[in-house]
Amino acid sequence: MHRSPSRRGRRLRLLTLQVAIVLLTVVAVAAIVLRFEDLRTRDLAFEEVHTVATEIAENPDVIASVNAADAAEQIQPIAHLAQRAAGVEFVVVVDRNGLRVAHPDPDQIGEPVSSDHGPIRGGQTFRGTEEGPLGVSLRSKVPIWDEGTVVGTVSVGMLQSEIRGDLLEVVLGFAPWILLAAGLGTAGAAWASRYVRTRIYGADPEEMSALHQSRQALLHSVGDGVVGVDEEGRIILINDEATRLLSVDHGVQGRLAAEVLDPDLAALLAVPDAPGDTGIEPAERTTFALAGERILLARVRPIRARGRDIGRTLTVQDRTELEANLRELEGQRSVTETLRSQTHEFSNRLHVISGLLSLGETEEAEAYIRGLTGLTGGPDRTGLTDSALAALVGAKAALAREAGVGLTLSESSALHPDWHADDDALTVVANLLTNAIEAAGDGGTVVLELAAGDGGFEVTVDDSGAGVDPARARQLFRWGASTKEDGATGGRIAGGRGVGLALVDRIARRRIGRVSVETSPLGGARFRAGWPGADTAGPDRTSPERGQEPA
């Protein structure tokens, strides 16, 4: 692939910068090491000259003859031997008058010392650098004591030039290793630069910055929710719409999708996509799923780079309102078709009602009307004082009559006069009644029992249908499961089935309640749903863990 000169120039500058950093680091480390080596060498030199000076000052022969007439003949051999044995530059012994009695240069013997020995004759010691006849040296000066009296001094030193020479030898011995480290560092920098480029698919830092900004802008500007996971199933990106639809926050990045997403969505990301028709590219998957109480259209796509899968993306769209409208439209269409086919039947029934009223048979007309609606009792007799709930039950009774199902309100229903049904209660009742009417079928029976007040809300729906297999009872509240189909269905649920019971379960769990299913005395299924009083209700309450089975 052709690379532009500017791109090659950027890569060359990047490599040059890396090499420069490596070289500067190696040189800095070498300088620090050499500095510490210099200090260590000086400390060792001071320690050595001080030891030699102390041993000579404590030598009995030196103490006895330092001020004698033949001091030079007695002490010079001792000083010379110590100088050669210790490898120091000079050993100078001085009497109490400041005259040299021992010196590397015999001509200097008998001459006054060139440096100040006054403090040493006062009992002090000296350790430092001074310039003498032989040059700048590291010296140690100590007094010679004889029964508590200073009778002379000893000065031992090493030339600073020799110490620097020793240090230069260390540097020359260390230089190959420095060059080797620099070479290895340069090679490592070049390899790391190449490796990083392969990991980011050949992009330069400037390009990566632009790509990141573009990705962030695109990710948070799209109207759909987007979630990306890597090969291990960890969330690597998520946009604002996804956090809203999935009820999570941006802090989930880096966590496993199975820990933070609803089980249905986590399963879509965890299960590998099936191979496509070619057997090479994995196919996209599009299905419906529940996130909390939202119905989402979910689309899973594989992320491929250089011929291998490196993760998956999940795109979600909110279809809650659309699904509700579709179910309502389907119901309205069914009602329209039924009304069209029963136009003449309604006309005949109106004639019957008119005849009964003209004959004054009011009670028989009322009973006949109740029989037509398929509703046993009414709001006054069953306690349905809430207008919204009464309207809902009335509408469901009309649908039940059209389906040939008898809907009965249990006499044990009890609603507090001040209680009003909220959206959650209406949704639960509507879904359970719809499910029961479909299960009962033509000629069947459905019994509705309601209880509500300060203590909470509970609804029980019995039907005379075929009942529920106990082995599948716990699966009915999962998304896609239906009492009209064998097993759960994947993808688009035909006729909107597999939605109602899942929504009932989500609502009950959010309200810290429960849903159960058992065998009904009518021979079919009994569904019961409820939750505590209003003080524990609301979407801000903590719900059970994700993936927990309904009771």
Side-chain angles (χ1 to χ4, degrees), residues 7-331:
R7 190 173 188 182
R8 288 197 297 268
R10 288 197 300 268
R11 291 187 176 182
L12 181 60
R13 288 197 300 271
L14 178 61
L15 179 60
T16 303
L17 177 61
Q18 292 174 320
V19 172
I21 292 174
V22 169
L23 293 178
L24 287 176
T25 302
V26 171
V27 170
V29 171
I32 294 173
V33 170
L34 293 177
R35 174 59 179 168
F36 278 103
E37 182 66 19
D38 181 38
L39 294 177
R40 187 185 69 86
T41 303
R42 290 173 62 88
D43 289 339
L44 290 176
F46 276 123
E47 186 68 25
E48 185 175 358
V49 296
H50 182 72
T51 301
V52 173
T54 301
E55 290 179 354
I56 292 177
E58 294 176 351
N59 187 291
D61 294 336
V62 172
I63 296 174
S65 60
V66 64
N67 290 299
D70 58 349
E73 289 78 3
Q74 297 292 330
I75 299 177
Q76 176 70 2
I78 299 175
H80 182 67
L81 179 62
Q83 176 184 340
R84 295 184 59 186
V88 296
E89 185 64 25
F90 62 84
V91 175
V92 178
V93 180
V94 181
D95 62 14
R96 68 166 61 95
N97 298 317
L99 301 178
R100 300 185 184 101
V101 295
H103 194 278
D105 183 5
D107 294 337
Q108 299 293 328
I109 297 176
E111 298 293 329
V113 292
S114 59
S115 59
D116 185 13
H117 278 231
I120 312 303
R121 287 193 292 269
Q124 300 181 13
T125 59
F126 171 80
R127 176 176 174 173
T129 302
E130 288 184 343
E131 184 173 0
L134 300 178
V136 179
S137 60
L138 279 66
R139 302 185 181 189
S140 177
K141 300 177 183 179
V142 298
I144 301 175
W145 294 90
D146 183 15
E147 296 181 355
T149 302
V150 177
V151 295
T153 61
V154 178
S155 175
V156 180
M158 297 181 66
L159 290 178
Q160 185 171 271
S161 58
E162 291 188 1
I163 297 175
R164 293 289 171 81
D166 294 339
L167 181 62
L168 180 60
E169 293 181 2
V170 174
V171 171
L172 294 177
F174 190 58
W177 297 102
I178 295 177
L179 296 176
L180 177 62
L184 292 177
T186 301
W191 176 85
S193 177
R194 183 176 182 84
Y195 175 76
V196 170
R197 283 201 304 272
T198 59
R199 296 295 295 176
I200 60 178
Y201 307 105
D204 293 327
E206 294 84 354
E207 295 173 335
M208 287 299 300
S209 176
L211 287 174
H212 177 72
Q213 294 176 2
S214 300
R215 190 197 75 163
Q216 291 297 106
L218 179 62
L219 185 65
H220 295 287
S221 64
V222 296
D224 299 339
V226 180
V227 180
V229 298
D230 59 14
E231 296 170 284
E232 298 179 353
R234 296 187 181 276
I235 298 175
I236 56 177
L237 61 88
I238 185 169
N239 68 348
D240 296 333
E241 182 66 6
T243 60
R244 184 185 71 84
L245 294 178
L246 304 180
S247 300
V248 297
D249 53 45
H250 288 281
V252 301
Q253 292 193 36
R255 298 178 59 184
L256 291 173
E259 296 178 354
V260 296
L261 300 183
D262 281 274
D264 299 327
L265 296 173
L268 290 176
L269 290 170
V271 178
D273 292 310
D277 296 336
T278 63
I280 300 176
E281 294 290 337
E284 298 180 1
R285 299 180 61 193
T286 302
T287 184
F288 278 79
L290 276 180
E293 296 166 28
R294 289 190 176 95
I295 301 175
L296 304 177
L297 176 63
R299 182 175 293 108
V300 181
R301 296 183 179 91
I303 306 174
R304 296 182 63 82
R306 298 188 177 180
R308 68 183 186 91
D309 289 340
I310 60 173
R312 294 177 182 83
T313 59
L314 172 67
T315 305
V316 292
Q317 298 175 344
D318 194 352
R319 288 294 184 268
T320 305
E321 184 176 354
L322 177 60
E323 285 295 307
N325 291 336
L326 288 176
R327 291 196 300 271
E328 182 179 357
L329 178 60
E330 184 178 353

Side-chain angles (χ1 to χ4, degrees), residues 481-509:
S482 174
T483 57
K484 307 301 179 298
E485 301 172 11
D486 291 330
T489 61
R492 181 71 173 91
I493 307 304
R497 298 178 187 236
V499 178
L501 292 179
L503 286 177
V504 169
D505 173 55
R506 299 295 176 93
I507 292 173
R509 286 194 292 159

